[in-house]
Amino acid sequence: MLLARLALLAALLPTVALAQREASREALSRLEETLAMRLEDGGVGTKDLLPAMVVSVNPAFEETRTWYPTEALGTLVRVFGAAGLRSCEACMAPRTYVQEGVVEQVSTNLGAAEIARLDEANRGTSAPARTAIWLDETAQGVSLRIIDLRNSRILLAENFDAAMIGQARTRRNLSLVRELDRRSRGDSITHAFFDVTVYPGQHVSLDWVEQWGDTNANLSGFSLSLFDPVLGVGGSYYRVIPSAFNISVGGKLLMSLPTGLIRGISGEDVDVIDPLLTAVFMVRVPIARSNYGITFSASTSGRVGVGFSLMNVSLLPFLP
């Protein structure tokens, strides 16, 4: 029984090692793509990064001990070029410094000052290194850290995995922090809603509203009706209820342009197509975190309908 288990374990080890190498290879590919895009769009400048000391390319597993350092260095060379990189093989080993009357041995992790010291001792006539790079393997992928050797400022510190789950989670957290900060300041933000209710009654309208208030739960602004009334303009107000799936409840008061125009010309109090004023009660229910929702409308014209709402979706290039 024990021999069978050992045989099974021996058979699985190469598969596990291959899977880990594949995960790290994919993570390095994501890192290479991300850095290449940042270099192209000016987010990171090579003149501020190079020359660079590659301090550490440590593997996380025994199975990747010989493979990972070469693969990581190859990735950095493809991104930054070989001429701008310096390998610091002594950086992660115990170091001994001998001065007059003093022998100093250091085995702890390097700081910026000591990296600069090693660079000065080994670079010859080349320019001083500007940055230090750590690119180590992790259980999920790879970890990149770049610091400025002149002032120890952290220039870049990110984790990369094959599916970029960590990056996506970081973006979500940052977006949430920015949103909470905006709400705490009470800053407004513009929304555009396109509502279409089709059954059994019809109502089609465009709303441009500002989000405001202490909790940013109020929406008010301009409304343009394309049906019920056929062509109308007016104002709208909604209240968002975050505790109830961010449902917005409110309404709009619309003036019929054809009726108003005919009344102005004729001087008679008549309704042409629609009443002069139409009030429309609205309820919007967002679908998860998408820009789409389910809409219910009821107007003073007697039309009641259920349909859909497009929220902050540009119908035309010049619309917000």
Side-chain angles (χ1 to χ4, degrees):
M1 188 67 175
L2 178 60
L3 290 176
R5 290 182 178 179
L6 289 175
L8 179 61
L9 180 61
L12 289 176
L13 279 177
T15 303
V16 173
L18 180 61
Q20 182 55 46
R21 285 198 300 272
E22 187 61 30
S24 299
R25 181 182 288 109
E26 289 296 321
L28 288 173
S29 296
R30 302 293 83 75
L31 177 147
E32 183 176 345
E33 294 166 0
T34 302
L35 290 182
M37 287 189 294
R38 292 182 182 178
L39 289 172
E40 289 177 2
D41 62 19
V44 179
T46 53
K47 63 182 180 62
D48 298 322
L49 299 178
L50 303 178
M53 290 275 283
V54 181
V55 177
S56 172
V57 283
N58 280 339
F61 305 93
E62 180 64 25
E63 294 82 4
T64 59
R65 182 174 58 86
T66 58
W67 168 83
Y68 177 76
T70 302
E71 193 73 14
L73 286 173
T75 299
L76 292 174
V77 167
R78 286 191 294 273
V79 173
F80 298 112
L85 298 176
R86 297 171 187 169
S87 177
C88 183
E89 296 182 358
C91 285
M92 302 309 294
R95 297 159 309 276
T96 302
Y97 301 100
V98 180
Q99 298 178 352
E100 186 176 352
V102 178
V103 177
E104 179 185 4
Q105 186 174 40
V106 182
S107 59
T108 58
N109 289 334
L110 287 168
E114 193 172 2
I115 296 173
R117 181 180 178 182
L118 287 170
D119 177 58
E120 183 178 0
N122 295 279
R123 70 170 184 262
T125 58
S126 300
R130 292 177 178 270
T131 59
I133 299 176
W134 287 258
L135 180 54
D136 297 329
E137 188 180 25
T138 65
Q140 291 77 31
V142 298
S143 173
L144 174 68
R145 180 161 53 102
I146 303 177
I147 68 167
D148 192 325
L149 291 177
R150 295 164 293 182
N151 51 24
S152 299
R153 185 166 62 95
I154 298 174
L155 301 178
L156 191 63
E158 292 187 31
N159 294 317
F160 295 84
D161 55 69
M164 297 296 281
I165 295 174
Q167 298 290 92
R169 186 184 301 115
T170 299
R171 284 194 295 271
R172 285 196 301 269
N173 291 339
L174 287 174
S175 297
L176 177 60
V177 169
R178 292 192 185 103
E179 175 65 13
L180 292 176
D181 183 54
R182 184 187 65 77
R183 291 184 181 183
S184 67
R185 295 194 307 269
D187 292 345
S188 65
I189 187 172
T190 303
H191 296 272
F193 299 141
F194 179 52
D195 301 313
V196 179
T197 58
V198 293
Y199 184 82
Q202 293 80 41
H203 172 75
V204 180
S205 65
L206 278 167
D207 289 355
W208 289 273
V209 294
E210 286 285 327
Q211 182 177 342
W212 54 275
D214 293 339
T215 59
N216 279 289
N218 302 289
L219 301 169
S220 62
F222 172 78
S223 183
L224 172 64
S225 171
L226 306 177
F227 197 94
D228 190 25
V230 170
L231 182 60
V233 295
S236 58
Y237 172 81
Y238 307 97
R239 177 76 178 184
V240 179
I241 308 175
S243 59
F245 307 103
N246 287 318
I247 292 175
S248 60
V249 180
K252 57 192 79 176
L253 184 62
L254 302 166
M255 183 186 75
S256 172
L257 291 180
T259 299
L261 182 62
I262 295 300
R263 284 192 181 188
I265 294 174
S266 65
E268 298 181 4
D269 189 13
V270 296
D271 293 336
V272 181
I273 302 175
D274 301 293
L276 181 64
L277 294 176
T278 301
V280 184
F281 172 74
M282 299 287 299
V283 176
R284 293 190 191 91
V285 183
I287 300 175
R289 293 179 177 270
S290 70
N291 293 88
Y292 306 95
I294 298 172
T295 303
F296 168 82
S297 70
S299 73
T300 54
S301 300
R303 293 190 176 95
V304 177
V306 176
F308 62 90
S309 180
L310 305 180
M311 298 176 288
N312 295 317
V313 176
S314 292
L315 304 177
L316 295 173
F318 54 82
L319 293 181

